[in-house]
Amino acid sequence: MLPLPAGPPEPTIASLRHDGESLALYWTFYWAVAAAQLARWLPRKPSHVLDLSGPDAHTAAQAAAAGHHVIQLRDPSAEAELRDPGGNAEPPEPVGNVSNGAGSTPPHGPPPPPGNVSNGNGNGNGSADGAGRPHGAGPADDAGSARGAGSAGGAGLANGNGAARGHGSLHPVIADSESLACLADTSLDAVVADDRALSRHLATEATVAEIARVLRPGGRLFFSVDSLTLGMAILAEQNYWAHLSDVPAAEVLLIPWPDGTITRCFQADQLRELLTGAGLEVEWIRPRTTLSPSTVEHLLTGSPKALSRLVRTELTAPLGDESLGIHLLASARRPGPHFNRR
């Protein structure tokens, strides 16, 4: 019997926390998939969107470039991230309630003139990722760059329209992203909490309840979290074997990373319970990517122009095994009339 061919080695969990060199091609693929998934999900018509994804994500810029009026909520600790190109601190937006009456205007006054989309750095589509998540130095093609979420290319790959509408606005606001106390009830059409934001909010139930409060009936939530698969791999890599036996019975799974930070990991069933407990309806739950990092690196090393085909493979993959992948992606809605749904 002939021996099986050796496959590419799987990366360690430490490498998934990234330095500037590890898995550059995989992260190019990952963020191209993320941009395309969000472009497919965003409402068709201009809407009021809250972005909780954090200062390192480009989701807010992508939503604004697609024509939406976006509040990018940043915790006070992230204020230092709001810098103009000269390095001077940009004053945050004042915090006030969002009108929810008929004919309401976007938060904090009317939006800027059409096309005036700012991401707090003086440009409309973001730049370098400063949190150790590499943009990906690998070859790029029509699928967009690693973090090209604000570009028309990412949107075009997802929904075929190819062009960002460019009539949105982006309002950075310094406020508590867990309590959402600055936002009025039923004031928003959509909430985006990508880049594992709800895994960093360890009291996730309270945050999701607040999201449900500020969504209008029919409003939708799009978010990603760390998966149980990732959490177990982190424990195994740190030789926490005794803790692994407790994982299946754990109601709340808090995982320490080697750098001392804590993340909350979820099974798909736990996400369903979390969302329904807050009064939201689950639309779908799926892995962000089903292709493994080693597979993507291997394929893109051999054929750099395969990126767009790999992204389309992810977008068209049926909703299958939810246990796959290091991150889970989910969509939910507040019961009520359908609003701006595709």
Side-chain angles (χ1 to χ4, degrees), residues 10 12 17-18 36 46 62 80 104 207 228 231 233-234 330 339:
E10 287 297 327
T12 64
R17 194 67 174 197
H18 346 11
Q62 179 179 353
S104 61
T207 304
L228 178 67
I234 297 170
F339 178 83

Side-chain angles (χ1 to χ4, degrees), residues 38 51 53 57-65 70-72 117 119 169-170 192:
L38 179 60
D51 187 278
S53 305
H58 289 181
T59 48
Q62 179 179 353
V70 184
I71 307 171
Q72 186 182 35
V117 178
N119 69 349
S169 59
L170 199 160
V192 176

Side-chain angles (χ1 to χ4, degrees), residues 239-312:
N239 296 319
Y240 291 144
W241 301 108
H243 296 77
L244 280 170
S245 62
D246 297 329
V247 166
E251 293 185 6
V252 176
L253 185 60
L254 302 180
I255 300 295
W257 282 86
D259 63 5
T261 58
I262 303 293
T263 188
R264 184 167 174 182
C265 297
F266 294 87
Q267 302 180 62
D269 288 345
Q270 291 173 325
L271 280 186
R272 289 190 181 89
E273 184 177 348
L274 173 73
L275 294 166
T276 56
L280 299 175
E281 296 177 349
V282 179
E283 294 185 312
W284 47 259
I285 298 172
R286 58 152 294 159
R288 161 131 285 164
T289 66
T290 57
L291 296 173
S292 72
S294 59
T295 298
V296 172
E297 289 274 318
H298 177 71
L299 292 174
L300 291 182
T301 298
S303 179
K305 293 186 177 181
L307 177 58
S308 60
R309 294 195 299 272
L310 291 178
V311 173
R312 281 193 289 269

Side-chain angles (χ1 to χ4, degrees), residues 79-91 120:
E79 185 172 356
E81 300 287 341
L82 288 172
R83 302 285 179 178
D84 64 24
N88 299 313
E90 176 180 324

Side-chain angles (χ1 to χ4, degrees), residues 13 45 124 145 162 243 308:
I13 292 301
K45 299 178 182 178
S145 64
H243 296 77
S308 60

Side-chain angles (χ1 to χ4, degrees), residues 34-120:
Q37 289 167 332
L38 179 60
R40 278 192 162 189
W41 182 90
L42 284 169
R44 288 177 298 174
K45 299 178 182 178
S47 304
H48 294 165
V49 179
L50 173 66
D51 187 278
L52 302 175
S53 305
D56 301 314
H58 289 181
T59 48
Q62 179 179 353
H68 303 292
H69 304 300
V70 184
I71 307 171
Q72 186 182 35
L73 210 59
R74 301 190 179 197
D75 286 303
S77 60
E79 185 172 356
E81 300 287 341
L82 288 172
R83 302 285 179 178
D84 64 24
N88 299 313
E90 176 180 324
E93 290 275 351
V95 175
N97 283 341
V98 177
S99 171
N100 63 353
S104 61
T105 59
H108 313 301
N116 184 13
V117 178
S118 168
N119 69 349

